[in-house]
Amino acid sequence: MDITAVSTSSTVPAPEPAPLKVAVILGSNRDGRFGPVVADWFLARAAGHPGIETELIDVAEAGLPTAITFSPGPEEAARLGAVSARLAAADAFVVLTPEYNHSYPAPLKTLIDWHSEEWQAKPVAFVSYGGISGGLRAVEHLRQVFAELHTVTVRDTVSFHNAGALFDDEGSHLDPGPADAAAKALLDQLVWWGTALRDARNLRPYGA
């Protein structure tokens, strides 16, 4: 008697990865700043991108002390701790920066310098705005700073040249096609790097 063995196999679908936690850092506290317009635009683009959760960190609200010290007072320590916890929880960062005098704003540097391990082995992407340069000179300076902090900076950026003329009074971009495409490219790269580095950190803690 012939016995035919029939084997069956079932494929268990891989679980969906947890959403990538992206901290979006608004880097200007200047009076009359244009940054909130850019931040609202970018957060709306990010909301439509699968697999990420965003949280806005505004340097104007953070109010971090400019003097770096190992023993901040109670009030300063509380403000610092609130920001530090949010940065530590993030898997990736997007820095929104204007360009002041060919570089980025002092409050942004203060927020960066108060932290170390919170940045390490995570990707950083940039959205910049300004005049004719679109804030790109600020971005180039920031790439050097974040390299020192053991991050990976995303190659593609979103930049707004003569930014004030690109949005209407409601904050809508007047020619959204190219800007939306640039935001998608940035977010695609950020998700790839963010997921890869998160997996790597889970497998083996990063040691700077």
Side-chain angles (χ1 to χ4, degrees), residues 56 60 104 120 165 186:
L56 182 66
Y104 53 92
Q120 291 176 6
L186 178 150

Side-chain angles (χ1 to χ4, degrees), residues 55-128:
E55 179 182 17
L56 182 66
I57 299 176
D58 187 342
V59 298
E61 296 177 359
L64 298 184
T66 57
I68 307 296
T69 174
F70 291 108
S71 55
E75 183 178 343
E76 290 81 3
R79 291 202 302 267
L80 179 61
V83 173
S84 300
R86 297 164 74 189
L87 294 177
D91 300 308
F93 306 100
V94 178
V95 175
L96 277 59
T97 182
E99 181 178 316
Y100 298 162
N101 298 323
H102 283 224
S103 194
Y104 53 92
L108 177 56
K109 188 63 160 63
T110 296
L111 183 144
I112 293 169
D113 288 348
W114 266 112
H115 300 93
S116 178
E117 293 182 3
E118 291 85 354
W119 306 114
Q120 291 176 6
K122 298 177 183 180
V124 182
F126 302 102
V127 176
S128 65

Side-chain angles (χ1 to χ4, degrees), residues 6-203:
V6 178
S7 63
T8 60
S9 62
S10 60
T11 302
V12 178
E16 289 290 325
L20 198 71
K21 296 179 181 178
V22 178
V24 179
I25 300 169
L26 177 51
S28 170
N29 67 349
R30 192 171 187 170
D31 185 37
R33 61 186 180 159
F34 194 72
V37 174
V38 178
D40 288 345
W41 174 89
F42 180 78
L43 291 170
R45 309 283 84 69
H49 197 282
I52 65 173
E53 295 177 351
T54 57
E55 179 182 17
L56 182 66
I57 299 176
D58 187 342
V59 298
E61 296 177 359
L64 298 184
T66 57
I68 307 296
T69 174
F70 291 108
S71 55
E75 183 178 343
E76 290 81 3
R79 291 202 302 267
L80 179 61
V83 173
S84 300
R86 297 164 74 189
L87 294 177
D91 300 308
F93 306 100
V94 178
V95 175
L96 277 59
T97 182
E99 181 178 316
Y100 298 162
N101 298 323
H102 283 224
S103 194
Y104 53 92
L108 177 56
K109 188 63 160 63
T110 296
L111 183 144
I112 293 169
D113 288 348
W114 266 112
H115 300 93
S116 178
E117 293 182 3
E118 291 85 354
W119 306 114
Q120 291 176 6
K122 298 177 183 180
V124 182
F126 302 102
V127 176
S128 65
Y129 60 97
I132 192 170
S133 73
L136 290 175
R137 291 174 292 206
V139 169
E140 291 308 306
H141 287 183
L142 283 166
R143 289 189 189 277
Q144 298 176 62
V145 173
F146 277 109
E148 179 67 16
L149 293 165
H150 299 262
T151 73
V152 174
T153 57
V154 172
R155 188 267 184 193
D156 287 358
T157 65
V158 178
S159 59
F160 295 109
H161 303 253
N162 298 315
L166 300 179
F167 293 83
D168 64 19
D169 292 340
E170 284 71 45
S172 297
H173 200 287
L174 298 173
D175 183 21
D180 286 357
K184 182 181 183 304
L186 178 150
L187 288 166
D188 286 346
Q189 292 180 24
L190 188 70
V191 167
W192 191 95
W193 279 108
T195 303
L197 290 172
R198 181 177 65 183
D199 291 347
R201 292 195 309 275
N202 289 336
L203 181 64

